[in-house]
Structure formats: C-alpha cells, structure tokens
Amino acid sequence: MSKLTQSSVWLALKKHYVDIEHVHMRDMFDADSSRYSKFSLQLGNILYDYSKNRINDETVKLLLQLAQAENVPDWTAKMFDGELINHTECRAVLHVALRDRGDKPIMVNGVDILPEIKLERQRVYQLAEKIRSRQWRGATNQAITDVVNIGIGGSHLGPMMATEALRPYTLHDLNVHFVSNIDENHINDTLEFLNPETTFFIIASKTFTTQDTMVNAETARQWYINKVGDDALINRHFAAVTSNIPLAMKFGISADNIFKMWDWVGGRYSLWSAIGLPVVIAIGADMFEELLNGAYEADQHFRTTPLQENIPVMMAVLGIWYNNFFQSQTMAILPYDQHLHRFPSYLQQADMESNGKYVDREGHRVDYTTGPVVFGEIGIAGQHAFFQLLHQGTKLVPADILAPVYSLRCVARHHRALMSNVFAQTEALMRGKTAIEARHELTAEGYHYDQIEQLLPYKIFPGNRPTSTLLFDTLDPKTLGSIIALYEHKIFVQGIIWNINSFDQWGVELGKQLAKNILSELNDSDNIDSHDSSTNGLINHYKHRRPGGAKKLHEA
Ligand code: G6Q
C-alpha cells in the first residue's frame, strides 16, 4: 500500500465520500444560500465558480488538508526555485521563468537564466516585427504573406491553440499555418495555395530529430528549392526553434535564424519560449507580452495565495476528488468560445502527457488512479453531439466550462443565446429533472396517462453532474495567458499529490522505437515474420496492397 492511500487524510476522504456519495447538489443548494459565494474564486477578471461540485465544507477542508499533507506549497517553491524536480531527466522545470516579470535572478546550475531568456525573446520579437511590417524580404525581394510552422506535440499544439484563440488580434494580410502530421496530405494541403516566394517556414523542434517534423521540413525545403530554385537564400524563408543548434545549422539554417530552447522547458510547456514565434508573428510583440503578463499573474496567484483561495489548487483537488474517490475516469473541457476550439486538444496533451503515469517518484507502481482521460469540444457543438452521455449516461464526467462575458466582435443576439446555453447546461447538469417535474411537463403537453408512464423513465435527468465554470470578460491575450497557466499549475498540483513526475514522457518512446525498426522493413516488398501474427499480417497486407506492391511481391 502506498503512503498516499494509507495517509490519515486519504482515509478520512474515503470515509467522507460514503457520506456524500448520495447527497444531491440540488439539496445542497437548497440548504445553503451562500454556496455560490463560498465556493467561487476570482483572479483578475476570471471568475472560477466551483459551487456546482459534489462537495461541502468538510470536503473542501479535507481536500486542502490533502494538498498540505502532500507538501504542495514546498514543491511549488522547489519548482519556482529551479530545483531539478524532473528527476528522471535530471532537469529543472522552469516554464514559469519564461514569463517572469520580476528582477530576482532564477538560477540553473549556478547561472541566472533571465538575461538569456530576455535576449532570445528580443530576437524573436525582432524577426516577427520585420515579417509583420513587411521589411523582411524573401529570395525574390517580396514581403512575406504566409508563415508555416512545422512542428508536432509541444512544438505545435500550444502555438496553434494560441494563434487560433487570439484570431481577432492577428494581422489580416499575414496568414499563419500549422503543419504537424507526417501524412503528406497535411503539408501538401497547406502548401497547395501558397506562393513559395512569399512563404516563411519555422521548423520548431526542441530535439531537431523528431521524424514527423524532419520529414515535413525536408519536403518544405524541396518545395521552396523546386519553385524558387535557390538554396543559397534559404535563410530568407526558414527559421528554426530548437535546443539542437548544430542539427538546425546542418539543415541549412544560419545562426541568425535559429532561436534557442532550453532543457528546463518541457515541450508541452514551451508556448512561452521561442516556440511562441508563430504567435508573435500573428499578434505582435505587445500582445505576446500581454499573454506573458497574464501567465505571470496566474503564477503569482498560485505561488502566494493560501490553498483555500488558490484556483489551480482547488481545480486540482476537485479533479482528485472525482478521479480517486468517485472513480470517474474522464474530464471534459468545454469552451463556449469559438476561438478556443483547439483548447481541448492542447489541454489533452498538457494533462495526459504529464499525469498519465503509473510509476511514482520512487519507482513504484501506484495503487491509485492518476491522470484522467481528457476530452472536449466547443460546448455548443458538444451539446448536439455527446452531452447526452453527460446528462443521462452511466458515467460521471466532471466538466470544466469556459465562457467569455462578451466577445470582441460582439453581436448581442449571438452572444446572449450562447451564454443562455452556458448557464442552462451547468444548471441542467446540476439539477437534472425529477420524475415529478417530468410528469408535470408531459401532462401539460397533453400526453395520456399510459403514454406518460411509458415515457417517464426516459424523461428523467438524474442531475448531480459536476461542472466548474471559468467565466472571463473576454478572450484577450492576458486572459488567455492566465487561463493556460492556471491549468498548467492544476496539472502540477495533481502530479505532486499523486507523487508522480509530471514533466517526463517516457510513454511516448516505445512506439517511436518500434516505428524506426518497422520503417526499414517497409523499404522492400518482402513478406516479414518478425512480429506477432497481427502486426506481420497488417504489414504484409499493406506491402501487398500499396501501389506497385503486388507486382513487387510477385517478382520477389
Ligand atoms: C512534450 C513532448 C512532445 C514533444 C514532441 C515534439 O512535452 O515532449 O510532445 O514536444 O514530441 O518534440 P520536438 O520538439 O523535439 O520535435
């Protein structure tokens, strides 16, 4: 048994769960008119309402005791102080340094990293500004109209999500595209309508060895050379963001166009570094500074606010309450803002790659469940797709709802209707509909007694489905920065409580290793038998069916 599940507070929470399991939130709201004011917090213009959760004062007290007992404040200090808390890779975890606005040195291996961060950021801003102001000229002396970021995972999802989220702040005559998939359709579909003389590529890869990115980068370079025909001027059209400068130079990009990453920034936490270059090109340096300001504000909140008023801590412990005591396996992210349409994918990586782990910090298998399956979609779209399961399914799916009080391009008719859905869904999920209410409705609609009895079970909504709502004024860069950072810290707190390392990702290695071996087996048309019968069968089917495959097999 682990220390965690044997701890007195864990056992108290288990006991408390039995008390609360069958209590309906409806009744809790009816019994306590102060529930909303008691269970909501604020950071700047961001309101976090967690009152529609299956908790009472005792639950919150115990959950916060758990955070305290697992030393969340100490670990927080260790992260901000640059201790090597990513112990399996022997690295500090300092994405917070990238948005630090203070002047206190942040030391890694005896060196203050802030001057280097600032220097690299200025270089990013300078390049972005030249492209945005049309000063930057391509090989044929034309201004840049399209920027293509080639990267995957952490070198893709963050900048792509943020560029989409901040669309109203982007320049209209400059398009920023993102290519991640090694499937040639992705890059071909992207390049099809672009002009190589006015296109600029960012090769974003911390390692500069990721197969997907390198294959796409090579295709981009060939496309550029085939059309413009001049390898010598490649630096007019290519930049790299990487910590592997020699490989980027070998690719043909000169030092001036290479932007540095550091080993103390994990890929999925790297939006704030030069990986944000496409975002800076899209929204400009001033707005990117706002994004950093917002994140810094959330960092300060997280670092200095007592646990009971600390938004990321509360988000984290609620997740643990459902995950480990209600045994819910999932978590839904439901933004009611079209510009946040890639936010669920972004968060899926941030959360699942960080906390999808079964081995604890001491190398032992855990005896409790860790990170949830995170999924999501624009809320309105979800309502017409999978909300059925949220309302009447057999699984408990805690959901986070994110919505803006107003939209920048505010059309009142649209926005009011949108928000009516936000409020209606959280209410419906919480209250449900009782048999008495359903019977009344059916009677009012003119159904006969027999029909009512037949339909009634389907018309009942059990309710008691938890949601937390993040309501913010509008999706400006600062607010976006704060929201992302709140979630980053939530993930961190959960990792600490589960005693896992949220900052490595060994789980993505095995598939990569096997793919490397299999790639060499795909070079010829010979049948293979080196795997299990399913993998052999699939590979041989593919070899046989691919264009020219049957002929070659026959020849062989
Ligand atoms: C993120 C992960 C992973 C990584 C990609 C791309 O935390 O480490 O998603 O970002 O595999 O790696 P490169 O940036 O090295 O190409």
Side-chain angles (χ1 to χ4, degrees), residues 151-157 204-214 241 261 266-270 275 349 353 503-505 508 512:
I152 196 160
S155 302
H156 163 71
L157 285 163
S205 175
K206 186 171 165 185
T207 55
F208 227 75
T209 55
T210 305
Q211 186 193 41
D212 322 62
T213 302
M214 291 307 114
V241 181
M261 285 179 79
R268 54 194 174 276
Y269 297 93
S270 64
I275 284 291
Q349 178 189 25
E353 206 167 59
F503 300 103
D504 58 12
Q505 56 282 314
V508 298
K512 278 192 199 173

Side-chain angles (χ1 to χ4, degrees), residues 45-73:
N45 71 68
I46 302 171
L47 167 70
Y48 175 57
D49 170 21
Y50 62 98
S51 59
K52 291 196 184 87
N53 278 287
R54 294 170 69 171
I55 54 171
N56 61 19
D57 294 328
E58 180 67 8
T59 328
V60 172
K61 193 182 94 196
L62 289 172
L63 286 170
L64 294 175
Q65 273 175 18
L66 178 69
Q68 189 67 56
E70 295 310 313
N71 298 319
V72 168

